[in-house]
Amino acid sequence: MFGEDFVWGVASSAYQVEGTDAADGRGACVWDMFAADGRVFEHQNADTSCDHMHHYKEDIALMRHLGIRAYRFSLNWARILPEGTGRVNEKAIAMYRDMILTMKENGITPYLTLFHWEFPQALYERGGWQNPDVVQWFGEYAKVVAENFSDICEYFITINEPQCVVGLGHLSGVHAPGVKLPVAQTFLVAHHLLMAHGQAVINLRRYAVRPVKIGFAPTGGVAYPYTDRPEDIEAAKKVYFGFYNPIDNWTWNVSWFSDPVFLGHYPEEGLKKFAPYLPEITQEDMELIYQPLDFMGQNIYNGYYVRAGADGEPEFVDRAPGFPKTGSDWPVTPEAFYYGIKFLTERYPLPLYITENGMSCHDLVSSDGRVHDPNRITFLDSYIGAMQKAYDEGANVAGYFLWTFLDNFEWADGYKQRFGIVYVDFASQRRIVKDSAFWYQKIIETNGRMLTMNQTTKEILFLDPVCTHNIWGGTRLRTEFGYPVEGDDIGECWGISAHPNGDGSIRNGVYAGMKLSKVWEEHPEVFGNLAYDRFPLLTKIIDAKADLSIQVHPDDAYAKEHENGSFGKTECWYIMDAPENATLVIGHNAKTKEELASMIHEGRWSEFIREIPVKKGDFIQIDPGTVHAIKGGLLILETQQNSDITYRVYDYDRLQNGRPRELHIEKSIDVITVPAKSVEDSVTSATGLPENQLNELYACGYYQIYKLDVNGTCSFAQNYPFLLMSVLEGSGIVNGQPVKKGDHFILPCGFGEVEMQGEMSLVVSTVPAQV
């Protein structure tokens, strides 16, 4: 979780939320002209937007009610200096001062951004960012800001997303001022912008009435590794700070805009690649750009896959079909958030604030009058969780600003995108707090403790089983259950197992690819924090084409002494299918230990072995010391202790690879119980049980076994440490997840209400809550 000093906030920009007022005295900015020219979606404009300039007191009070601790906002340069320089609009100064004081009165720390794209139209007409005088223009603006707000505001950010200002505004022309300059001119714009940043830092410090803290907020998509292999990580880092974009899209670059500000020089690779386009860059320019800063900001929304190619060079990897996207069609890539934070904090020696992160959703007001935005909650949970992972690993992350508080004017997209955690009806100016705002409130209150990554997973854990080849095995596990294994000797499917001889893997979700034993070890909360030293149970399906050996299992005490500390083996069988007149070996006919030893040593197997008839739906409990054998033709679901200890008493003189299999005669005689348990106490029927409920078949100190036949719908509370489920027949749905015959899955501790529907039969198991 995050420290108590971690900064939790929301972000906005002046132009996107404030609106206008005929008497406010502000000057026009380039976005006013851009919108007036009809270049915004559906010819929309920001004349009203959220009307925040008239509603900021209520909006900031709403922030307080939702636990927001910091607000990153911007000033409109053209509102404060209507001509960009010279005359100061005192109405603007008064409004912004009152806005800041309102934040402070509500316990919200202001983080003031000088420039979030509100470039004065009057200065654009004098050459804008291409005019070298822009450095002093911006410096003068910074001086006015310092003189008027540094007494009530401590945190300042000079420029937001220079990549967008240059690339979208001056290269592609899709943002204001909407021009497509020659490439060389865009490098001049970028250089002037960075110099203006430096002059603003100087003036903020020079004219502030007290010490202030200053940062810079660039952006950029994150190159993140396709796998966690070291070579892929290095390839991603190389691309993230490198120069792989074509020249007509060069501005989507991290190091060109951040290295000069945070390290004092342009990156050498960029200087070489961009040499034909660069303006004159002097030592004095670099000294101006490289001013002491207190923190760095970064706006991160998404990223793209990179891996190391066969030649060692980075290569880009396409996303899979159906890759998740936001309402603005941006990919959902929380891993990029993690790696972006890691890469930035490794390269630049300043505390990092995530100055923007969030998502656009297709939000609607529901029939209950509320706005339910579960997709945004899922997005934020995964991204903030990724940030916590980096934070826990030592990344110097100081704060997080969610974009954004209010739905607003989303630049060239107008009102098509809704990024807010508060819904705005732009016609009536009504605000509706979305579900995500209440979720974020809990994250802030708990410093992240309520993140999914800090909770027991509520996901169903589906297992990819492990199949084994056995001398007595058949083909039904492939032909009937679809397990992807070849051969005509497939004897067992270890459906839910953390045993070293067959450790299953989690198929998907938060633990995808992890072995069950690793999940057990690293996330004990998933299984109720039980005190076992290993995962306690093992569930398998056995297809016996031929007879299994006559065998017996030791108890825990004997196994601990004679089998290197292993568990013993208590198990039970549910007969999934059986031929007509099927039998099993359960127990024996010896009356005394002496008679037992004599029968075994003399090979009097027909006298020794006790066969009993069984049918589909029978349940058999096999305690340690019980002689037993599965006969050919039977299909069985076995639940057992997590152990693979078996002593063979007799194997019908079969050969495997030309040799008889090992027998364990003396150990078997040691552990076989004499006399054997009666037939009546060994076999019960599990047919004809009530549908749509858990029917207990057996309970002991090692497990509890249930039969569940779903016909239609049913539900029950998962109040067990965990539940292991195997679908024996049919298909259905479990809490939205389709399941079918042969699926094995785990419902974790705290799963909550289990909702099932379909037509299917399952065997369910768990362990006692106390051990």
Side-chain angles (χ1 to χ4, degrees), residues 251-326:
T251 63
W252 293 111
N253 184 282
V254 172
S255 60
W256 189 259
F257 290 92
S258 291
D259 280 16
V261 170
F262 300 127
L263 301 179
H265 55 79
Y266 282 110
E268 193 64 31
E269 181 185 355
L271 289 171
K272 292 177 181 178
K273 179 174 181 177
F274 298 149
Y277 309 101
L278 296 181
E280 180 184 3
I281 299 173
T282 68
Q283 182 61 34
E284 289 76 14
D285 293 346
M286 299 312 301
E287 290 173 357
L288 176 59
I289 294 170
Y290 184 44
Q291 296 299 316
L293 293 177
D294 302 285
F295 61 91
M296 61 175 165
Q298 189 79 11
N299 299 351
I300 302 178
Y301 288 94
N302 56 66
Y304 50 94
Y305 281 133
V306 173
R307 68 184 171 199
D311 60 358
E313 284 299 305
E315 63 181 27
F316 299 86
V317 184
D318 291 337
R319 301 184 186 98
F323 197 92
K325 293 183 178 181
T326 70

Side-chain angles (χ1 to χ4, degrees), residues 7 121 131 166 177 229 232 310 317 327 397 402 531 651 654:
V7 176
Q121 178 67 19
N131 189 330
V166 181
R229 296 185 309 155
D232 284 356
V317 184
V397 189
L402 190 158
D651 198 29
R654 285 183 294 202

Side-chain angles (χ1 to χ4, degrees), residues 3 51 208 239 288 331 352-353 403 430 443 451 592 679 682 726 761 769:
D51 199 23
V239 171
L288 176 59
L352 170 67
Y353 287 87
W403 185 271
R430 180 188 179 198
I443 297 302
L451 291 168
T592 66
V679 173
S682 299
S726 296
S761 294

Side-chain angles (χ1 to χ4, degrees), residues 332-347:
V332 178
T333 56
E335 299 91 345
F337 202 48
Y338 164 78
Y339 277 105
I341 291 168
K342 293 277 284 186
F343 292 163
L344 289 166
T345 53
E346 288 168 2
R347 185 178 181 95

Side-chain angles (χ1 to χ4, degrees), residues 463 494-504 515-520 527 534-539 642:
L463 275 293
W494 294 31
I496 303 176
S497 168
H499 192 278
N501 293 348
D503 199 353
K515 296 294 187 182
L516 180 56
S517 61
K518 187 175 183 181
V519 179
W520 167 266
F527 310 97
R534 72 204 78 179
F535 190 76
L537 298 181
L538 195 162
T539 299
N642 183 5

Side-chain angles (χ1 to χ4, degrees), residues 65-136:
H65 292 313
L66 290 169
I68 304 300
R69 298 176 184 172
Y71 181 30
R72 180 191 168 221
F73 67 106
S74 75
L75 308 179
N76 186 331
W77 182 355
R79 188 184 294 279
I80 289 178
L81 295 167
E83 288 78 40
T85 63
R87 180 177 62 87
V88 175
N89 178 10
E90 294 300 334
K91 290 183 178 179
I93 299 297
M95 184 188 78
Y96 285 129
R97 280 190 66 85
D98 189 60
M99 188 182 294
I100 293 169
L101 290 171
T102 301
M103 294 178 212
K104 295 168 76 73
E105 289 166 1
N106 283 273
I108 296 169
T109 302
Y111 283 71
L112 188 157
T113 302
L114 273 71
F115 180 68
H116 199 132
W117 311 354
E118 308 92 346
F119 195 88
Q121 178 67 19
L123 296 183
Y124 176 69
E125 293 170 1
R126 294 168 62 184
W129 288 107
Q130 296 181 74
N131 189 330
D133 290 343
V134 73
V135 176
Q136 295 308 315

Side-chain angles (χ1 to χ4, degrees), residues 429-491:
Q429 291 304 315
R430 180 188 179 198
R431 272 69 161 150
I432 303 174
V433 179
K434 302 177 188 179
D435 290 353
S436 58
F438 296 112
W439 176 88
Y440 189 46
Q441 180 180 23
K442 292 177 182 177
I443 297 302
I444 295 171
E445 289 173 350
T446 63
N447 274 321
R449 189 178 70 249
M450 296 303 296
L451 291 168
T452 295
M453 70 172 297
N454 298 320
Q455 305 297 307
T456 301
T457 181
K458 300 300 190 294
E459 288 186 325
I460 300 174
L461 304 184
F462 286 92
L463 275 293
D464 283 328
V466 177
C467 291
T468 67
H469 296 273
N470 305 82
I471 191 173
W472 42 262
T475 60
R476 297 180 71 177
L477 293 176
R478 179 178 67 253
T479 59
E480 293 185 24
F481 292 86
Y483 300 134
V485 58
E486 296 302 318
D488 59 2
D489 62 346
I490 312 162

